[in-house]
Amino acid sequence: MMQFYKKRDFGTFISDSFAFFKLHGKNYFKNFILLNGLLLILMVVLIILGFREFFGVLLGSNIGGQSYYFEQMLTDNLGLFILLGVLLFIISTALMTINFLFPVFYMKRVAEGHKDIKTDDLLSDFKANGKKVFLTYLGLTFLVMPAATILFGFSYFLIIIFIGIVLMLFVGPTLFNIILFLCYDYFNSERGFFESLSYAVRSQFSYTNGREGSPYWKYWGSTLIMGILFYIITAIFSSIPMILYFVTLTTTTSNAEFEKNPLGGSFGMLIFFLYGVSTLVSSFLMNVMYVNSGLMYYDSRTDLHQKVELEEIETIGINE
């Protein structure tokens, strides 16, 4: 059984993240699919059926003298696009919150000694913490994520003077850890939302006892390595539809209907299906990073390390 509340170094975070899935991966992803599957399918279907025409016209050429074909199509269907946009926003933000909290509840149960975790157990955790889950949704959607997006966007903008590249290498992993630490701490402590947010920021740079060196570099380095691995794998999947699109565009004989809406018909369904698969793969792979951040959170809770070790010793004595 993996021990969660203990000190780890840079390499151990990565190795233990994969070890976690080696031990619990089958059960973990089974519950993940059952809890997130419906929202994932709804989001993919909404993108495929709702925005296929939109992106098709956006990528297509204006023909027949219709200089403002795209603008006309957007104006004629503005209400529909607004409705689809609102639905997509609600589903994606709800899915984001569940994705963040699923590993929190799952790892909490594993850390408490549970082995065969069922979907009903996790659903009961969500229900029992319904108020906190809703506050987390609001806090992440309307406060934390917008602020993180602005900060990351500003760093991205500074790429034009090169310093942005360096900033992004530090800002991205640090923001990611802060958001995950917030979720873990909010449901593993008695702190309120903003107190957990404060802890999430402070714990990136120092341990609570203040007597040990800063954990920032091992947290940052581990998340950066995981992020690079995640980017490489997802880039392979996400590039397939675009490569297929450009190959078809350059090898297909001139066709007015295809040029008007290249994502229409069966070809468009195939492209969006592949993007849907890419989205699903990304959602699964992100869990490795979520668990990695979870191990960092347990590393940061030095106040519980000795307590858990003593409890384990007492348990061994009882079992004997």
Side-chain angles (χ1 to χ4, degrees):
M1 180 177 174
M2 180 181 293
Q3 183 179 348
F4 286 85
Y5 289 97
K6 71 173 187 178
K7 294 291 293 297
R8 288 179 166 87
D9 56 28
F10 163 75
T12 310
F13 286 127
I14 297 175
S15 61
D16 280 2
S17 295
F18 290 108
F20 174 87
F21 286 101
K22 185 177 180 180
L23 291 171
H24 307 283
K26 184 178 180 180
N27 181 261
Y28 181 97
F29 284 115
K30 174 186 173 183
N31 286 296
F32 178 81
I33 292 172
L34 291 174
L35 277 176
N36 294 271
L38 180 59
L39 284 177
L40 279 169
I41 293 172
L42 282 175
M43 188 171 71
V44 171
V45 169
L46 187 62
I47 293 173
I48 293 176
L49 299 181
F51 289 93
R52 183 166 58 117
E53 293 296 323
F54 174 81
F55 287 109
V57 174
L58 181 63
L59 293 173
S61 304
N62 290 329
I63 62 173
Q66 296 178 332
S67 302
Y68 300 99
Y69 181 78
F70 172 73
E71 289 85 349
Q72 180 182 345
M73 186 275 295
L74 184 61
T75 302
D76 293 342
N77 299 277
L78 184 61
L80 177 61
F81 284 127
I82 292 175
L83 177 61
L84 290 173
V86 171
L87 288 175
L88 186 61
F89 174 80
I90 294 173
I91 293 174
S92 60
T93 51
L95 185 62
M96 172 193 70
T97 304
I98 295 175
N99 281 344
F100 282 154
L101 297 186
F102 175 81
V104 172
F105 290 130
Y106 191 95
M107 293 183 74
K108 184 177 181 181
R109 281 190 169 270
V110 175
E112 291 171 350
H114 297 270
K115 293 182 179 180
D116 186 20
I117 300 172
K118 295 179 172 58
T119 307
D120 289 340
D121 297 329
L122 297 169
L123 280 174
S124 66
D125 290 337
F126 274 94
K127 291 177 181 178
N129 295 277
K131 182 179 179 181
K132 296 181 78 172
V133 170
F134 181 67
L135 290 176
T136 303
Y137 171 79
L138 294 178
L140 289 175
T141 304
F142 299 106
L143 176 64
V144 177
M145 295 306 294
T149 301
I150 292 173
L151 184 57
F152 188 80
F154 178 72
S155 301
Y156 184 82
F157 175 76
L158 290 179
I159 286 180
I160 58 177
I161 56 174
F162 184 75
I163 193 176
I165 298 177
V166 179
L167 282 176
M168 287 181 62
L169 287 176
F170 287 95
V171 171
T174 303
L175 286 176
F176 182 85
N177 285 337
I178 288 174
I179 293 170
L180 266 299
F181 270 54
L182 162 63
C183 295
Y184 278 100
D185 190 70
Y186 191 37
F187 291 91
N188 282 278
S189 72
E190 299 300 320
R191 286 184 274 263
F193 182 85
F194 290 101
E195 290 176 309
S196 290
L197 178 59
S198 174
Y199 175 82
V201 175
R202 289 183 285 106
S203 59
Q204 301 303 307
F205 305 98
S206 63
Y207 285 107
T208 51
N209 56 32
R211 296 189 300 271
E212 302 174 72
S214 173
Y216 178 78
W217 294 110
K218 64 179 183 179
Y219 291 173
W220 169 79
S222 178
T223 303
L224 180 65
I225 296 299
M226 286 294 198
I228 291 174
L229 292 175
F230 170 81
Y231 176 79
I232 292 173
I233 297 174
T234 54
I236 293 173
F237 282 92
S238 61
S239 63
I240 293 175
M242 190 56 65
I243 292 173
L244 183 60
Y245 167 75
F246 281 113
V247 169
T248 304
L249 194 64
T250 55
T251 58
T252 304
T253 56
S254 181
N255 185 310
E257 285 300 319
F258 181 79
E259 292 175 357
K260 180 179 178 180
N261 188 357
L263 297 183
S266 58
F267 177 74
M269 291 293 291
L270 175 62
I271 291 295
F272 276 96
F273 172 77
L274 291 175
Y275 269 119
V277 172
S278 175
T279 300
L280 294 176
V281 170
S282 298
S283 297
F284 285 121
L285 291 178
M286 280 299 293
N287 282 277
V288 180
M289 296 188 66
Y290 297 154
V291 168
N292 186 54
S293 289
L295 294 177
M296 295 178 199
Y297 171 74
Y298 289 117
D299 171 89
S300 74
R301 291 297 304 271
T302 53
D303 56 312
L304 296 179
H305 289 184
Q306 186 176 7
K307 177 183 176 182
V308 173
E309 290 173 357
L310 290 173
E311 290 177 350
E312 290 179 346
I313 293 173
E314 292 175 357
T315 302
I316 293 173
I318 293 174
N319 292 334
E320 291 178 350

